[in-house]
Amino acid sequence: MIIYVVKGGDTLWKIANRYDVPMESISQLNALTAPSQLTIGQSIIIPHPGTSHIVESGETLGTIAQQYGISTETLMEANQLTDPNVLYQGSVLYIPPVKHVVQPGETLWDISIWYGTTVQAIMSANQLESPNNIYSGMSLIIPRFKRTIEVNAYTYQPSATAVQSLKDIGQLLTYFSPFAYKIKEDGSLEGLNDEEMIDTALSKNITPMMSITNFTSTEAGSNLAHVILSSTSLREKVIKNVLDVMDDKGYTALNIDFENVLPEDRENYNKLLQSAVDLLHTRGYIVSTALAPKTSTEQSGVLYEAHDYEAHGRITDFVVLMTYEWGYRMGPPQAISPLDQMRKVVEYALSVIPAEKIFLGFQIYARDWLLPHVQGQEAETFSPQEAIRRAIKYGASIQYDPTAQSPFYRYSDEKGKAHEVWFEDARSAQAKFELAKDYKLRGISYWALGFPYPQNWALLNDNFTIKKLSKYS
């Protein structure tokens, strides 16, 4: 599967013919609502053998070729490059597939062992119905190794809509987290209508993960967190109430998302985590936390100071890095999840937490800001699919920030008002997947379901094998 960026004069027909792929396949894979309408800079996934690589800062053709086990010359030829020293950050390189010519007497089993893959993977890549359907001289595509990761997705969708999301992409999830059970000052929990979601998750071999929090869209939750965390009895009551819900509803994992915790409550927050682990592990349940995107131990601010990366990583089973919201809805326009900032957070986390305990946070929505930005003015939030639709509607050419590894564009609406839109596309998704691969992270966590983004799910499946926990196998 490769990524193609639309250029001037391109049509879907031309692109399909270039790669010898049916137009309908490309249209369906990318959920193109108007296949006859494309815009310059739009990225499209092509169901074609091979893969794509997003060039990062400091990379060379030689290092990229070595990473994929091919020669520099092969890489240059596949991308029609004339100078191996000219390589731009953020550009998309086509990585041709590995091919094997069947030798006399060889079996698929022999070939799979030689390349470190499986018979089934080779059959799937070559659309073979039987492992015996090969012959001497036949050229086979050898699928590249895919790391196995865990994937979580939060949602704040209504129950029926969340159930449909699970039916659509549940095969790509390890965990599913309805957001969220709100903690009250007396240690009780505000309930959720989550029974049907949990049942659907279990039917899809997904581990339901209960999420608890201290904040809402209108309340920061600092005082509430202080009331709970500063009282040993209330901390214990919260965890006991959580366990009751988990036992009753079928949750087997917990995600604790306390935000805007006062700095003086840092140690008590750690104690809450330890109490949760001590009790829930006796049931074989998993405990995780959500961490604000810190880049150093000394980082100041109420969002960061009480989040003790070292303690969370040591105490819990895993952590979710909330590596998003730089492009805040109430702030000025910018990339919501800039890759350079995400990398800084990951590198700091890795200095105190093992990679096998880290989930990379991945937001899957777009934002549209009015220009010029006025303090207190809220950006509109919608799906990446809507971002593409608006770019086409207003004739905007999509640009790509090579540092943030994020697409954006500007347009003027019917009233003459200027807008700036930042969103996610196939290139930015692939760049985030490469980040997770580079650092061998445990998994990826999506915030949040409910924003159509078909390219992401297709690429996730193409890049990784998604782990399902054995308890539900």
Side-chain angles (χ1 to χ4, degrees):
M1 195 170 292
I2 61 176
I3 299 170
Y4 179 80
V5 180
V6 176
K7 301 175 178 60
D10 274 338
T11 65
L12 190 59
W13 182 84
K14 287 182 180 180
I15 296 169
N17 275 270
R18 174 178 176 177
Y19 292 101
D20 193 26
V21 174
M23 288 176 55
E24 294 75 14
S25 297
I26 300 174
S27 181
Q28 184 176 17
L29 188 62
N30 294 273
L32 300 178
T33 54
S36 61
Q37 297 178 352
L38 301 174
T39 191
I40 294 173
Q42 179 180 356
S43 67
I44 295 176
I45 301 173
I46 312 292
H48 184 80
T51 189
S52 293
H53 179 88
I54 312 299
V55 178
E56 298 181 13
S57 177
E59 287 188 318
T60 67
L61 277 182
T63 60
I64 296 170
Q66 184 178 26
Q67 178 181 339
Y68 291 97
I70 58 177
S71 67
T72 302
E73 292 73 21
T74 299
L75 190 57
M76 290 182 64
E77 182 180 352
N79 291 276
Q80 300 178 341
L81 303 176
T82 56
D83 188 343
N85 299 312
V86 178
L87 196 62
Y88 298 102
Q89 181 181 357
S91 60
V92 182
L93 291 180
Y94 167 56
I95 310 298
V98 175
K99 293 187 177 180
H100 175 86
V101 177
V102 179
Q103 301 301 306
E106 276 190 325
T107 66
L108 272 190
W109 171 257
D110 299 327
I111 298 168
S112 69
I113 295 298
W114 177 259
Y115 288 100
T117 183
T118 65
V119 169
Q120 188 57 48
I122 297 176
M123 289 177 60
S124 178
N126 294 274
Q127 299 180 334
L128 299 176
E129 294 182 0
S130 167
N132 300 318
N133 290 352
I134 64 170
Y135 52 84
S136 179
M138 181 181 186
S139 180
L140 293 175
I141 294 170
I142 305 300
R144 298 185 184 279
F145 170 75
K146 296 200 297 185
R147 283 191 65 237
T148 298
I149 65 167
E150 295 179 6
V151 177
N152 173 57
Y154 294 100
T155 189
Y156 49 87
Q157 298 169 285
S159 179
T161 313
V163 164
Q164 187 58 53
S165 293
L166 289 172
K167 291 178 179 178
D168 292 340
I169 52 92
Q171 72 277 12
L172 298 173
L173 299 180
T174 311
Y175 304 94
F176 170 69
S177 305
F179 194 83
Y181 281 78
K182 169 77 179 301
I183 294 172
K184 299 180 182 180
E185 287 195 357
D186 63 356
S188 61
L189 305 171
E190 290 184 7
L192 274 182
N193 177 23
D194 52 6
E195 289 84 355
E196 189 178 1
M197 290 185 261
I198 294 170
D199 288 344
T200 305
L202 291 172
S203 74
K204 294 290 184 179
N205 202 12
I206 304 168
T207 299
M209 182 157 65
M210 182 180 178
S211 180
I212 62 172
T213 191
N214 64 314
F215 74 99
T216 67
S217 59
T218 57
E219 299 175 358
S222 298
N223 292 333
L224 171 60
H226 176 71
V227 169
I228 298 297
L229 296 176
S230 61
S231 166
T232 301
S233 61
L234 285 177
R235 293 198 304 265
E236 292 176 351
K237 184 177 180 181
V238 165
I239 301 306
K240 177 61 170 61
N241 286 334
V242 164
L243 180 60
D244 289 343
V245 172
M246 295 178 73
D247 284 343
D248 179 54
K249 292 193 173 183
Y251 283 109
T252 53
L254 171 67
N255 183 251
I256 301 173
D257 182 10
F258 273 35
E259 299 187 27
N260 306 304
V261 178
L262 299 175
E264 56 264 34
D265 290 323
R266 175 184 173 116
E267 289 305 317
N268 284 330
Y269 189 15
N270 294 343
K271 290 178 181 178
L272 174 78
L273 301 182
Q274 190 64 64
S275 296
V277 167
D278 290 344
L279 182 58
L280 299 188
H281 275 190
T282 64
R283 293 283 210 283
Y285 294 165
I286 294 167
V287 179
S288 65
T289 64
L291 286 171
K294 293 176 68 168
T295 56
S296 72
T297 305
E298 296 78 22
Q299 190 164 345
S300 60
V302 71
L303 189 63
Y304 310 103
E305 291 181 52
H307 281 197
D308 184 339
Y309 268 45
E310 186 280 329
H312 285 233
R314 170 171 43 81
I315 295 168
T316 66
D317 297 296
F318 63 80
V319 302
V320 172
L321 303 181
M322 294 187 285
T323 37
Y324 32 77
E325 286 297 313
W326 278 269
Y328 178 51
R329 59 187 173 83
M330 303 302 294
Q334 60 177 303
I336 303 168
S337 298
L339 198 77
D340 55 326
Q341 298 299 327
M342 294 175 72
R343 185 180 297 277
K344 291 177 183 178
V345 176
V346 169
E347 289 179 346
Y348 166 62
L350 286 168
S351 71
V352 291
I353 304 174
E356 60 269 22
K357 281 194 170 189
I358 297 175
F359 276 65
L360 180 71
F362 189 162
Q363 56 81 22
I364 48 177
Y365 47 85
R367 287 214 166 111
D368 183 326
W369 285 266
L370 278 172
L371 299 177
H373 175 69
V374 176
Q375 186 174 0
Q377 183 173 272
E378 182 175 354
E380 187 180 359
T381 301
F382 45 75
S383 73
Q385 287 295 91
E386 173 62 16
I388 293 294
R389 190 196 68 79
R390 290 190 187 192
I392 293 171
K393 176 181 178 181
Y394 293 105
S397 294
I398 295 169
Q399 302 176 64
Y400 193 76
D401 185 312
T403 302
Q405 297 271 342
S406 183
F408 69 98
Y409 61 87
R410 290 185 174 183
Y411 73 92
S412 294
D413 64 22
E414 293 84 351
K415 297 180 180 179
K417 293 183 178 180
H419 295 247
E420 185 167 321
V421 176
W422 288 84
F423 64 109
E424 301 291 336
D425 68 359
R427 289 167 293 179
S428 65
Q430 186 63 42
K432 291 175 176 61
F433 295 152
E434 295 298 337
L435 181 65
K437 292 178 190 176
D438 289 346
Y439 292 106
K440 298 179 174 58
L441 304 184
R442 176 170 178 154
I444 290 169
S445 179
Y446 287 99
W447 179 265
L449 297 183
F451 298 96
Y453 185 15
Q455 291 182 336
N456 163 76
W457 304 110
L459 285 170
L460 177 70
N461 186 54
D462 191 54
N463 277 268
F464 303 104
T465 298
I466 311 304
K467 182 178 181 179
K468 297 287 189 174
L469 300 190
S470 58
K471 188 168 184 177
Y472 297 100
S473 299

